[in-house]
Amino acid sequence: MKRSEIICYVLAALSLILGLMMRFIFTAVRFTGVLFLCAAAALVIFALLTRWKEKRRWALWLRRIFLVLLAAGFAFFAVLEVRVLSWARTDDETPVTAVIVLGAGVNGRSPSLSLWTRLEAALAYVQDRPGVPIIVSGSQGQGEDISEARCMADWLIARGVEPERVWLEEQADNTRENIWYSLAMLSERGMDTTANIAVVSSDYHLCRASMYMVDNMVPVAARMPARYWPLTLNYYVREAFGVAAEIVF
């Protein structure tokens, strides 16, 4: 067995161990775990094709095709990740006519970590924008005692936001519906949906939200505390695949 094959198998074994640990033990980063499992499979395939290429001509061509596909995949991922990073910011300068806060998980009646960061960002953003309506968007999911919208509304009102400013949108089950139903609510209440509208979401998630608004989305990024960097990194990687899925499907 050649040295290159040994290196591939060692890396595959390490990737397999890491993947299984992330998938079944450290489940908060399970998506990255799935990627490690895919990497383990790819390394094994590459090692086998490397061994066979000297005896089987088809293996040589398969190896070349395999490398080309991997390179194309990495290039596509890099382009998407740059797009995700470009939206991970807060625009404090552009005037807006409304604010949409996108939902995330609720633990019983309390916001999850992701939702809490979005609410903190939303609260900071609306402090010096009196009178601007705030749409909180999100339905009630499994394991949630109340809708995400209701949870967000209660949290904001408890911290001094006027109740009449907070509009509940409780139908949306995903990002697409968050945006569409919120825009429909604004339209029903006589507001111009082509005007600048702030969208508050996790920093890594704003890119996907922007795909459902043409030119008028003003990003407001919610960032997790620095100590959660492994979780943040996992979400950034996952989001590039999420954007790819939106583009394809």
Side-chain angles (χ1 to χ4, degrees):
M1 187 179 296
K2 295 182 179 180
R3 183 179 178 182
S4 60
E5 294 176 48
I6 294 174
I7 292 174
C8 283
Y9 285 125
V10 170
L11 291 176
L14 291 174
S15 297
L16 178 63
I17 293 170
L18 287 172
L20 290 174
M21 290 177 63
M22 292 179 182
R23 181 68 181 83
F24 297 107
I25 300 176
F26 305 109
T27 55
V29 292
R30 56 182 174 271
F31 183 83
T32 302
V34 172
L35 293 183
F36 270 110
L37 294 175
C38 292
L43 286 164
V44 170
I45 292 171
F46 183 76
L48 292 173
L49 292 176
T50 300
R51 171 179 290 189
W52 295 339
K53 70 182 179 67
E54 296 178 358
K55 298 180 180 180
R56 300 173 177 85
R57 188 171 179 81
W58 57 266
L60 175 61
W61 283 103
L62 275 181
R63 183 173 180 267
R64 290 173 178 172
I65 294 170
F66 184 70
L67 289 174
V68 169
L69 291 175
L70 278 180
F74 277 115
F76 186 48
F77 171 80
V79 170
L80 292 178
E81 199 62 59
V82 168
R83 180 180 171 88
V84 170
L85 289 168
S86 71
W87 276 99
R89 56 189 171 82
T90 294
D91 180 351
D92 279 318
E93 303 299 324
T94 304
V96 300
T97 58
V99 177
I100 299 173
V101 188
L102 304 188
V106 173
N107 299 322
R109 302 179 67 89
S110 302
S112 63
L113 175 62
S114 291
L115 188 56
W116 172 77
T117 60
R118 296 181 189 189
L119 289 168
E120 288 280 352
L123 184 63
Y125 184 79
V126 302
Q127 288 296 333
D128 58 352
R129 293 171 174 81
V132 175
I134 307 161
I135 297 181
V136 287
S137 175
S139 62
Q140 182 176 348
Q142 186 175 4
E144 299 175 344
D145 295 338
I146 56 176
S147 70
E148 295 167 8
R150 170 51 62 188
C151 176
M152 289 189 282
D154 290 345
W155 192 96
L156 290 170
I157 292 169
R159 284 155 183 81
V161 178
E162 301 88 340
E164 62 272 13
R165 290 180 64 189
V166 184
W167 303 351
L168 277 72
E169 187 292 296
E170 299 181 277
Q171 300 181 68
D173 293 326
N174 52 52
T175 305
R176 181 189 301 108
E177 293 180 356
N178 283 141
I179 299 297
W180 287 357
Y181 291 158
S182 296
L183 292 178
M185 179 176 288
L186 288 171
S187 180
E188 289 168 2
R189 300 195 181 197
M191 299 192 66
D192 181 8
T193 56
T194 63
N196 292 326
I197 298 171
V199 175
V200 183
S201 191
S202 302
D203 47 2
Y204 56 83
H205 185 246
L206 285 165
C207 177
R208 197 164 2 152
S210 73
M211 299 173 71
Y212 306 109
M213 299 183 73
V214 183
D215 305 311
N216 60 330
M217 177 175 139
V218 177
V220 180
R223 304 184 188 281
M224 286 193 179
R227 66 181 180 275
Y228 294 105
W229 69 265
L231 193 58
T232 299
L233 180 61
N234 173 79
Y235 285 147
Y236 266 100
V237 172
R238 187 185 71 177
E239 198 63 23
F241 286 87
V243 172
E246 294 288 349
I247 292 172
V248 172
F249 298 108

